[in-house]
């Protein structure tokens, strides 16, 4: 085992760039909760970049929300020194650039950007749970990027661990012998030293042209209140030095490099970054749009002719409206989304107006967890009170004149003759114990899924492949899947084009008047259920009026469900303590006429709380909004 030198000896404060042959760039990829951040913690400790006093669990997870939920949301790059002892007893100092990546399917874009900055990937699998859906997805991503994959079994210290069984599974997947799969424990540190040596041995050194004009790929960026935009780059060719002028090749913006350095794990200024090095740049720019993830940085004096291949922009999978509860917070929400966009390149948004909720933004997310995290970050980091409407997807509607309309909101659904409606579909991969096959098939059939195939990974683990409409899985599919499989199933999905479907727009009418905010696009077979659910919900939420209010759900001119809010009635017979029945009848007829007249001129006022509760993506939306107000 190699002795661990002091961190300062191996590059914490370096006079110049490290030789490419002494660099190793790798990332850690895995399914959720397979121990990536814990393994990263042990590596930081064993390489000496974080001392025992400063160490804390999930060291690289910088956000409070990451610590509370125990998940990684943002990829974090860190430079670590490591020395390998050779046969003669001498040691060679290496610099390892590690990127800890998220595991959830919603943050796959973060993983794909991290893979582009590496030559190797540590594929981590929980020794008690085995291969799961996101393990496969991340492995295929690494293979597409031609990375060297090092398979590792983590959590071997757990009583339920079955390393031999799962080592065979992994070996069958990546090729090789089960003995080649490393056994480690991020918690106890067992096997981590051998893993670091294996990384130096197996991961190839970065290659590039040191004499060519500098080219560096921006793979991430963050906003610092005092220093402006901090850009994270991986240098591919040439060298970047402080105080030189640089050009962003896509925007053609020119800046002066005020500071350049490495993250180890705190920012440490250096005298330059060479081939293969991962570090940060600070130019003092405050405009968040100046630093685009996927852009190429080059020297202004000797610019490169061609840019590096850009990242593909992620395609939003789920759309939801975000509105400030206080309308005057709209400019603050716009600024907050601008700042967050820099930190989260997968975020898409555009202004939107709702009759019920006022001014806000229509925001595109990669999934429901992404939606939840973004909303929580906006509320915490920018002190905003927000309403998020129920998520929906984008539809393509073809009219009789063959014109095609893109519908992102039910209010945009055309009322003319429709030839075809196309909805987005996804390829879903579900991994689960074989005993739950029946429950999973039943759930997927309910959600209009088409089975594509089924494979047994082992005697008791099965992989099911389905094509499902995206609209059927964006809301509660994952929750239903977990409850039907006692939490053992894992899900991964990717866009797979569009398909024609029998979709209709269900309108909600209050006293005959359509309320756009409550409209929804649903499959024809589920329209009645949606109408009954929404009318029943509104009957409870809307307060009683002086007159009777019908709530109707309709498809075009055909009413499919109805509830009635009973009128509040004054007891006009209280003063009739005797006399003929005609006296009572006369008073009741007079009241009936008054109610009729009131109904023709009266308006139904829907309180803000009712809109929030009916439109909110969580059941407690109305209660939360009342508390915030």
């Amino acid at each position: 085992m190699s002795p661990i030198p002091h961190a300062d000896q191996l590059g914490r404060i370096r006079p110049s760039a490290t030789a490419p042959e002494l660099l190793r760039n790798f990332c850690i990829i895995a399914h959720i909760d397979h121990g990536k951040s814990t393994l990263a913690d042990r590596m930081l400790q064993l390489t000496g970049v974080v001392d025992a006093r400063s160490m804390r669990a999930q060291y690289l997870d910088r956000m409070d929300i990451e610590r509370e939920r125990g998940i990684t949301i943002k990829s974090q790059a860190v430079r670590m020194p490591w020395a390998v002892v050779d046969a003669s007893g001498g040691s060679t100092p290496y610099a390892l650039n590690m990127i800890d990546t998220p595991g959830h399917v919603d943050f796959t874009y973060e993983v794909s950007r991290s893979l582009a900055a590496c030559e190797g990937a540590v594929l981590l699998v929980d020794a008690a749970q085995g291969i799961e859906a996101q393990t496969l997805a991340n492995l295929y991503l690494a293979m597409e990027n031609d990375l060297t994959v090092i398979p590792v079994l983590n959590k071997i210290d757990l009583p339920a661990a079955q390393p031999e069984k799962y080592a065979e599974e992994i070996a069958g997947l990546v090729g090789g012998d089960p003995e080649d799969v490393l056994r480690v424990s991020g918690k106890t540190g067992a096997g981590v030293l051998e893993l670091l040596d294996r990384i130096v041995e197996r991961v190839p050194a970065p290659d590039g042209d040191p004499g060519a004009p500098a080219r560096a790929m921006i793979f991430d960026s963050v906003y610092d209140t005092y220093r402006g935009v901090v850009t994270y780059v991986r240098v591919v060719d040439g060298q970047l030095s402080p105080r030189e002028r640089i050009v962003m090749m896509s925007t053609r913006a020119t800046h002066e490099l005020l500071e350049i350095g490495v993250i180890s794990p705190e920012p440490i200024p250096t005298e330059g970054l060479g081939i293969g090095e991962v570090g940060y740049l600070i130019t003092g720019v405050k405009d968040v749009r100046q630093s685009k993830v996927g852009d190429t940085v080059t020297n202004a004096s000797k610019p490169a002719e061609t840019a590096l291949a850009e990242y593909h922009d992620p395609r939003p999978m789920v759309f939801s409206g975000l509105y400030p509860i206080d309308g005057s917070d709209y400019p603050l929400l716009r600024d907050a989304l601008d700042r967050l966009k820099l930190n989260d390149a997968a975020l898409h948004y555009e202004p939107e107006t709702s009759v019920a909720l006022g001014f806000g933004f229509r925001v595109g997310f990669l999934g429901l967890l992404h939606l939840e995290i973004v909303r929580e970050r906006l509320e915490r980091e920018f002190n905003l009170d927000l309403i998020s409407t129920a998520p929906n997807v984008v539809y393509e509607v073809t009219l009789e004149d063959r014109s095609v309309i893109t519908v992102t909101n039910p209010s945009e659904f055309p009322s003319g003759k429709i030839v075809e409606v196309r909805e987005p579909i996804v390829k879903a991969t579900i991994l689960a114990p074989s005993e739950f096959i029946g429950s999973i098939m039943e759930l997927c059939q309910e959600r209009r899924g088409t089975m594509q195939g089924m494979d047994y990974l082992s005697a008791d683990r099965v992989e099911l492949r389905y094509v499902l409409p995206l609209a059927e899985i964006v809301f509660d599919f994952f929750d239903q899947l977990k409850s039907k499989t006692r939490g053992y199933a894992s899900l991964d999905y990717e866009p797979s084009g569009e398909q024609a479907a029998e979709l209709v727009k269900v309108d909600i009418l209050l006293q005959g008047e359509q309320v756009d905010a409550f409209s929804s696009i649903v499959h024809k077979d589920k329209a009645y259920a949606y109408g009954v659910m929404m009318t029943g919900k509104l009957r409870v939420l809307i307060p009683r009026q002086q007159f009777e209010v019908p709530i109707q759900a309709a498809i075009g001119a055909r009413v499919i469900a109805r509830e009635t809010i009973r009128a509040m009635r004054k007891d006009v017979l209280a003063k009739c303590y005797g006399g003929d029945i005609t006296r009572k009848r006369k008073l009741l007829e007079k009241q009936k006429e008054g109610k009729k007249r009131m109904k023709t001129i009266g308006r139904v006022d829907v309180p803000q709380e009712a809109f929030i509760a009916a439109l909110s993506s969580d059941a407690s939306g109305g209660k939360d909004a009342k508390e915030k107000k």
Side-chain angles (χ1 to χ4, degrees):
M1 201 273 293
S2 53
I4 302 166
H6 191 267
D8 287 342
Q9 296 170 9
L10 294 179
R12 282 177 67 85
I13 301 170
R14 298 173 298 114
S16 60
T18 301
E21 60 271 15
L22 297 176
L23 281 172
R24 296 291 183 270
N25 298 322
F26 72 98
C27 59
I28 305 175
I29 54 175
H31 190 78
I32 315 153
D33 200 32
H34 279 212
K36 292 180 298 299
S37 298
T38 309
L39 180 62
D41 288 348
R42 292 297 77 73
M43 287 183 173
L44 294 177
Q45 273 188 308
L46 292 169
T47 54
V49 292
V50 180
D51 57 32
R53 185 180 60 182
S54 307
M55 193 64 206
R56 63 173 192 267
Q58 290 176 260
Y59 190 89
L60 294 177
D61 291 344
R62 304 299 170 91
M63 289 184 276
D64 290 341
I65 191 170
E66 289 180 310
R67 304 183 147 302
E68 287 169 17
R69 289 172 175 256
I71 59 172
T72 301
I73 295 164
K74 283 291 295 174
S75 295
Q76 296 290 346
V78 62
R79 182 191 181 91
M80 304 179 298
W82 187 243
V84 174
V85 178
D86 53 35
S88 62
S91 67
T92 308
Y94 288 86
L96 310 180
N97 288 314
M98 175 187 71
I99 303 178
D100 179 25
T101 65
H104 196 278
V105 61
D106 285 11
F107 303 109
T108 302
Y109 183 59
E110 288 278 326
V111 181
S112 65
R113 283 171 20 208
S114 303
L115 293 171
C118 299
E119 281 81 35
V122 172
L123 180 72
L124 208 61
V125 175
D126 189 327
Q129 296 183 59
I131 295 166
E132 300 201 52
Q134 199 60 23
T135 314
L136 288 174
N138 287 334
L139 174 62
Y140 296 149
L141 276 176
M143 287 176 167
E144 282 170 22
N145 283 270
D146 294 325
L147 299 191
T148 300
V149 177
I150 300 174
V152 177
L153 274 173
N154 192 24
K155 304 189 184 180
I156 57 166
D157 57 303
L158 291 179
Q162 296 174 281
E164 284 73 27
K165 175 186 174 185
Y166 294 124
E168 281 186 29
E169 256 188 38
I170 298 169
L173 195 63
V174 300
D177 297 321
E179 292 74 36
D180 295 336
V181 179
L182 286 174
R183 275 82 158 167
V184 305
S185 169
K187 189 175 179 182
T188 65
V192 179
L193 299 172
E194 289 79 3
L195 173 58
L196 290 165
D197 284 342
R198 180 74 64 91
I199 289 165
V200 172
E201 177 194 328
R202 292 277 309 278
V203 175
D207 58 348
D209 186 352
R215 290 196 302 171
M217 169 73 83
I218 299 175
F219 69 89
D220 206 356
S221 50
V222 294
Y223 186 83
D224 185 283
T225 311
Y226 303 103
R227 314 194 73 183
V229 178
V230 180
T231 306
Y232 295 110
V233 296
R234 150 76 193 267
V235 180
V236 177
D237 292 323
Q239 180 167 341
L240 291 172
S241 306
R243 292 299 167 184
E244 69 178 350
R245 294 197 71 76
I246 57 168
V247 177
M248 306 289 184
M249 292 188 76
S250 71
T251 60
R252 308 310 303 174
T254 307
H255 311 293
E256 184 185 356
L257 265 182
L258 301 179
E259 185 177 309
I260 188 167
V262 296
I263 302 104
S264 184
E266 305 304 325
I268 296 168
T270 65
E271 292 183 14
L273 291 176
I275 291 171
E277 292 202 277
V278 175
Y280 69 92
L281 313 175
I282 295 176
T283 57
V285 173
K286 296 283 186 181
D287 184 359
V288 296
R289 290 177 291 274
Q290 295 274 341
S291 186
K292 183 187 170 192
V293 169
D295 200 354
T296 304
V297 179
T298 188
N299 303 109
S301 57
K302 188 186 171 185
E305 290 180 8
T306 56
L308 297 163
E310 288 197 7
Y311 300 117
H312 298 295
D313 280 337
R315 185 180 171 193
M317 302 283 275
V318 177
F319 287 86
S320 177
L322 285 181
Y323 296 87
I325 285 180
D326 184 350
S328 62
D329 285 343
Y330 176 75
L332 300 177
L333 176 58
R334 185 182 57 228
D335 292 344
L337 284 167
D338 276 345
R339 298 269 181 88
L340 210 56
K341 168 77 174 169
L342 179 75
N343 200 249
D344 185 352
L347 197 63
H348 289 259
Y349 58 91
E350 55 188 44
E352 167 175 87
T353 310
S354 162
V355 178
L357 303 171
F359 292 102
F361 289 91
R362 175 171 184 70
V363 189
F365 304 94
L366 299 182
L368 280 189
L369 180 68
H370 190 209
L371 185 160
E372 204 178 316
I373 294 295
V374 168
R375 177 180 167 179
E376 199 164 332
R377 286 187 69 185
L378 287 168
E379 290 183 339
R380 284 185 181 205
E381 295 173 26
F382 302 96
N383 201 25
L384 293 165
D385 289 336
L386 301 174
I387 306 159
S388 61
T389 61
N392 51 61
V393 299
V394 179
Y395 300 97
E396 297 284 339
V397 180
T398 306
L399 299 175
E400 205 172 29
D401 60 0
R402 309 312 295 176
S403 62
V404 178
I405 296 171
T406 301
V407 176
T408 59
N409 206 340
S411 60
E412 298 168 5
F413 200 83
S415 54
K417 285 201 174 179
I418 294 167
V419 175
E420 185 183 63
V421 182
R422 298 186 70 80
E423 63 176 349
I425 56 172
V426 295
K427 283 182 181 172
T429 304
I430 301 167
L431 269 73
S434 51
E435 62 186 283
F436 300 114
I437 290 175
S439 303
I440 295 169
M441 285 181 169
E442 187 184 346
L443 175 65
C444 292
Q445 282 167 2
E446 279 173 19
R447 301 304 177 100
R448 300 190 282 130
T450 307
M451 193 173 191
Q452 299 294 297
M454 181 172 76
D455 291 317
Y456 279 85
L457 298 178
S458 63
D460 56 352
R461 284 176 68 74
V462 67
E463 174 190 337
L464 295 112
R465 295 182 300 282
Y466 270 90
V467 170
L468 288 151
L470 179 58
E472 295 288 348
I473 68 169
V474 296
F475 204 60
D476 63 346
F477 180 79
F478 189 61
D479 291 340
Q480 290 283 327
L481 180 66
K482 283 288 186 186
S483 64
K484 283 181 182 291
T485 59
R486 299 204 301 272
Y488 283 111
S490 59
L491 169 74
D492 178 54
Y493 60 88
E494 60 180 27
S496 181
E498 296 173 336
Q499 70 176 14
E502 294 186 34
L503 301 171
V504 293
K505 178 189 175 190
V506 179
D507 290 314
I508 301 297
L509 311 176
L510 283 181
Q511 207 183 337
E513 285 185 25
Q514 185 180 318
V515 184
D516 270 345
F518 296 136
S519 299
S520 183
I521 299 166
V522 296
H523 191 265
K524 189 177 74 172
D525 296 342
K526 298 188 177 182
Y528 174 71
Y530 175 80
V532 169
M533 182 272 293
M534 204 64 184
T535 51
K537 204 173 184 182
L538 290 175
R539 186 176 69 83
V540 175
L541 292 169
I542 297 173
R544 291 172 69 184
Q545 312 286 316
Q546 291 284 351
F547 49 91
E548 192 176 85
V549 179
I551 304 169
Q552 297 166 308
I555 300 172
R558 182 165 61 91
V559 175
I560 57 170
R562 172 182 169 134
E563 291 281 353
T564 304
I565 301 173
R566 303 298 300 275
M568 288 192 293
R569 301 194 63 171
K570 182 182 173 185
D571 188 2
V572 292
L573 303 181
K575 56 189 175 183
C576 288
Y577 48 83
D580 192 63
I581 186 66
T582 53
R583 287 186 65 201
K584 293 183 181 179
R585 194 170 290 138
K586 185 180 173 185
L587 286 169
L588 290 170
E589 288 295 328
K590 191 176 177 184
Q591 186 186 43
K592 189 177 174 183
E593 285 297 319
K595 295 279 182 196
K596 194 175 175 182
R597 189 166 62 252
M598 193 183 287
K599 190 170 183 177
T600 58
I601 61 170
R603 284 185 71 255
V604 182
D605 289 322
V606 182
Q608 180 83 344
E609 288 80 8
F611 274 113
I612 294 165
L615 295 176
S616 180
S617 55
D618 55 352
S620 60
K623 191 183 85 175
D624 290 348
K626 282 181 185 175
E627 286 170 3
K628 283 175 184 172
K629 285 184 116 184

